Amino acid sequence: MKIHEYQAKELFRRYAIPVPEGGVAATIDEALAVADGLPGYPLVVKAQIHAGGRGRGGGVQLVARREELRQRAGAILGMTLITPQTGPEGRLVRRVLVEQAADSGRELYLSLLVDRDSASIVIMAGAAGGMDIEKTAAIAPEKISRVQVNPLQGLQPHHIRQALSGLGLTPDAMKQWPALLAALYRLFVENDCLLLEINPLVITGAGSPLAVDAKMELDDNALFRHADLLQYRDIHEDDPLEARAREDNLKYIRLSGNVGVMVNGAGLAMASMDIIKKAGAAPANFLDVGGGASAEMVEKGFAIISGDPHVKGIFINIFGGILRCDVLASGIVAAVKRCGVAVPLLIRMEGTNVEQGRQILADAGLQLITAADMADAAAKVAEMVA
Ligand code: GDP
Ligand code: MN
């Protein structure tokens, strides 16, 4: 789950990580009220959406006077902000963060992330932060240091020295950093983060670090132990189909391809996605209805896949174990009759009562494509969306 910049900064404050003074606003009047409570101008108005690159899209504006704030907040609130990360459809801006502008000092890059390959928490730090960080990462990756922290050992002084070594900090400025990094690391671990990024981390005129931006992503699988963080969910930013699947207790992740996939069991789901790829097509989603799924779950899953306009064909691959094939087949028939399907439907089924299941499908009078096995399914998937 991603959270907004203003929410991440709320968490930063709790951990004594320095952030600019400010507050969030949903209307122009609220924005003016926040501004009136701050020591003075210049301020910065920032669109709150779950995507970066806002500066490039015009979603971050410096304002020098109250009247200018009124205009800029008015322009940003309600705009559809398009950034390099939102895709061409953009995101509707419902809130802005109004805060004290940082004096433009040096802009550094700092992030922590879970790195599955090395089973560690990686700290990344770069001297050239700001809006060109992607370019730096692409053309001069050596300018960004990567330090692996073994989560069982935790953050050690040598990690901190290593992370800071390339930042060109003066010995005086260095003094504040161990505490800052320790606080960030604690915030990261205690809240089960997947990503915590500060870009830019500004070194102010006084030489102190200030988190001018804040991006955070929390691990959905750990949210059950963070009741306090659930309030940060913004359903407007969620994919509507993913939100619905969450309510239905289905493991569904939307992807960019056009073959809808419904499977029972995560392993079979991965195998199914592999054969789709191998056939030269791409899955539109991951969907695991669960090993012990009922016909009702199958119907719900089907409804979600059918709700994705990018889906040009649906591949159902079920192994009948706890869920018997005849029950499954009845569920599919009921779902197809209820939802209607506008796209080809390919079914591969194996396991308990498979013959009865196949009979039910054959008798249903629906336009279904059946596959005998995985290899056959692969060939037919390719045909289906060709
Ligand atoms: P992003 O584009 O979504 O990553 O949004 P940021 O919060 O990083 O803002 C984009 C850019 O605007 C930053 O890289 C800074 O260069 C600039 N910026 C943002 N806030 C301030 C501020 O308070 N003072 C100054 N001088 N620049 C800022
Ligand atoms: Mn940024």
Side-chain angles (χ1 to χ4, degrees):
M1 177 175 97
K2 288 182 183 167
I3 65 175
H4 286 294
E5 175 191 7
Y6 79 91
Q7 298 166 329
K9 284 178 170 170
E10 241 170 63
L11 288 170
F12 279 22
R13 283 196 187 94
R14 270 194 237 161
Y15 285 78
I17 296 155
V19 294
E21 245 188 285
V24 71
T27 62
I28 298 175
D29 285 342
E30 283 176 23
L32 291 168
V34 171
D36 294 344
L38 294 171
Y41 288 77
L43 301 177
V44 58
V45 191
K46 311 181 75 177
Q48 298 297 290
I49 57 169
H50 283 187
R54 295 163 302 165
R56 290 212 182 289
V60 177
Q61 302 283 347
L62 269 163
V63 294
R65 294 183 317 276
R66 200 167 188 274
E67 199 41 44
E68 201 182 344
L69 170 66
R70 186 198 298 278
Q71 277 171 17
R72 294 293 195 185
I76 295 176
L77 282 167
M79 86 187 282
T80 298
L81 180 57
I82 300 171
T83 84
Q85 294 179 25
T86 57
E89 69 280 8
R91 291 280 172 83
L92 177 65
V93 182
R94 295 164 189 275
R95 274 180 232 112
V96 289
L97 175 61
V98 177
E99 62 182 22
Q100 204 76 62
D103 50 0
S104 41
R106 281 184 58 207
E107 297 194 335
L108 309 182
Y109 174 88
L110 183 68
S111 66
L112 278 74
L113 54 102
V114 170
D115 179 42
R116 294 193 160 88
D117 287 342
S118 61
S120 64
I121 295 172
V122 167
I123 302 175
M124 287 171 51
M131 295 203 279
D132 288 330
I133 191 70
E134 278 87 8
K135 209 158 80 193
T136 304
I139 61 174
E142 74 283 355
K143 289 198 173 147
I144 300 173
S145 67
R146 288 174 57 97
V147 181
Q148 293 176 0
V149 181
N150 178 335
L152 298 178
Q153 291 171 340
L155 187 72
Q156 305 292 328
H158 69 87
H159 295 129
I160 298 177
R161 281 196 298 276
Q162 212 184 328
L164 301 183
S165 62
L167 297 183
L169 299 170
T170 62
D172 225 27
M174 286 280 250
K175 284 186 193 141
Q176 304 182 46
W177 283 70
L180 174 70
L181 276 174
L184 282 169
Y185 186 85
R186 219 159 49 77
L187 166 67
F188 189 90
V189 172
E190 287 179 357
N191 295 282
D192 290 303
C193 295
L194 292 177
L195 171 77
L196 193 170
E197 183 186 76
I198 306 177
N199 184 37
L201 178 65
V202 168
I203 308 289
T204 63
S208 304
L210 182 68
V212 162
D213 192 8
K215 199 177 203 179
M216 260 176 86
E217 190 173 346
L218 306 165
D219 187 345
D220 285 317
N221 295 312
L223 275 178
F224 71 93
R225 54 186 185 194
H226 299 290
D228 57 321
L229 297 177
L230 281 176
Q231 53 157 330
Y232 286 152
R233 188 185 293 287
D234 181 350
I235 48 162
H236 301 298
E237 294 280 341
D238 286 349
D239 179 291
L241 291 176
E242 287 189 357
R244 187 162 141 204
R246 192 168 50 235
E247 275 171 20
D248 288 344
N249 271 322
L250 291 166
K251 292 187 184 65
Y252 170 85
I253 295 162
R254 205 161 170 185
L255 303 168
S256 57
N258 61 8
V259 182
V261 202
M262 180 161 70
V263 187
N264 63 337
L268 190 57
M270 300 308 273
S272 304
M273 290 162 65
D274 281 350
I275 66 163
I276 290 169
K277 277 280 194 189
K278 198 153 175 255
N285 63 274
F286 169 96
L287 172 58
D288 173 12
V289 293
S294 60
E296 190 199 347
M297 292 293 267
V298 170
E299 255 196 82
K300 284 182 172 163
F302 194 82
I304 285 169
I305 296 180
S306 318
D308 179 351
H310 297 116
V311 167
K312 296 287 172 272
I314 299 176
F315 175 31
I316 300 181
N317 190 2
I318 304 269
F319 185 82
I322 300 169
L323 169 64
R324 302 190 321 267
C325 290
D326 53 327
V327 175
L328 165 77
S330 308
I332 293 172
V333 171
V336 172
K337 288 191 170 155
R338 187 166 327 188
C339 308
V341 271
V343 297
L345 190 60
L346 168 67
I347 302 176
R348 180 254 174 181
M349 211 164 48
E350 204 52 76
T352 312
N353 291 356
V354 67
E355 290 312 326
Q356 291 96 308
R358 289 194 179 135
Q359 198 57 51
I360 290 168
L361 293 179
D363 294 344
L366 299 172
Q367 291 245 314
L368 305 172
I369 311 164
T370 53
D373 53 32
M374 289 289 264
D376 189 28
K380 286 174 172 163
V381 158
E383 267 173 49
M384 186 166 71
V385 293

